[in-house]
Amino acid sequence: MTVTFCGHRDFRKTSASEKLLSELLEGYAQRNERLVCYNGGSGNFDLFAAECVKNLQKRFTNIRNCLVIPYIYPEFLERINILNEYFNETFYPPLERVPLKYAIIRRNEWMIDNADVLFACVRRSWGGAAQTLEYARQRKKIIEYLP
């Protein structure tokens, strides 16, 4: 089972949101032999999701936390070094021919295409998180909504 996340850069973590995401993830970890979590590592919601997954890994050895990067250039790779404490692995999907302007959008689409479930915390109808959520809806993915 593979899951991914989408939410706003300006997301504010609450104890209720942490409890809900952790419980949802735990349910998937208990029901599946292996749980792979794709995360874009961009913004507050992604870091919040990465923390929740990392905390669950203390109890479940069947969870992998994967950072999926949209670019490979030195300035961005420096940022990845900061994020490494959250993730078990980092990989770059086949985006070599995608212009930089569209790399994040295509990375997000790749994560949706390769995931079974999306955990979404989207409050606005515009922006990258809303686009990603709509893409998942069009692909008929299972969506777990967070308030």
Side-chain angles (χ1 to χ4, degrees):
M1 168 75 56
T2 303
V3 302
T4 192
F5 307 91
C6 81
H8 299 293
R9 181 176 298 275
D10 62 354
F11 171 82
R12 300 261 186 248
K13 173 173 108 172
T14 65
S15 57
S17 61
E18 185 173 15
K19 183 176 188 277
L20 178 58
L21 181 56
S22 295
E23 287 174 354
L24 288 168
L25 285 167
E26 183 175 336
Y28 282 95
Q30 288 173 340
R31 290 189 308 267
N32 293 282
E33 188 174 309
R34 182 178 171 174
L35 182 63
V36 177
C37 302
Y38 290 150
N39 190 310
S42 301
N44 291 347
F45 184 76
D46 286 350
L47 291 178
F48 162 71
E51 287 174 358
C52 288
V53 173
K54 185 177 178 178
N55 288 336
L56 275 179
Q57 286 178 317
K58 295 171 187 169
R59 295 184 16 238
F60 295 93
T61 59
N62 61 324
I63 302 175
R64 299 292 299 164
N65 207 4
C66 305
L67 176 63
V68 182
I69 60 172
Y71 319 106
I72 297 181
Y73 59 86
E75 297 83 12
F76 189 77
L77 295 177
E78 287 175 17
R79 182 169 178 258
I80 290 171
N81 290 333
I82 296 167
L83 296 173
N84 275 339
E85 72 179 272
Y86 296 102
F87 298 99
N88 304 109
E89 59 190 279
T90 300
F91 64 94
Y92 178 66
L95 301 174
E96 297 87 9
R97 297 190 176 157
V98 175
L100 288 178
K101 180 178 179 178
Y102 302 107
I104 291 176
I105 294 167
R106 298 295 174 261
R107 184 269 322 263
N108 291 349
E109 290 173 353
W110 183 92
M111 290 192 305
I112 295 296
D113 290 341
N114 290 279
D116 303 299
V117 178
L118 171 67
F119 292 94
C121 184
V122 178
R123 298 182 318 269
R124 298 184 288 265
S125 61
W126 49 269
Q131 271 185 310
T132 302
L133 177 58
E134 182 56 30
Y135 186 82
R137 284 182 183 140
Q138 291 171 0
R139 298 294 180 278
K140 309 251 188 278
K141 296 293 178 168
I142 298 168
I143 302 171
E144 297 279 4
Y145 293 93
L146 303 166

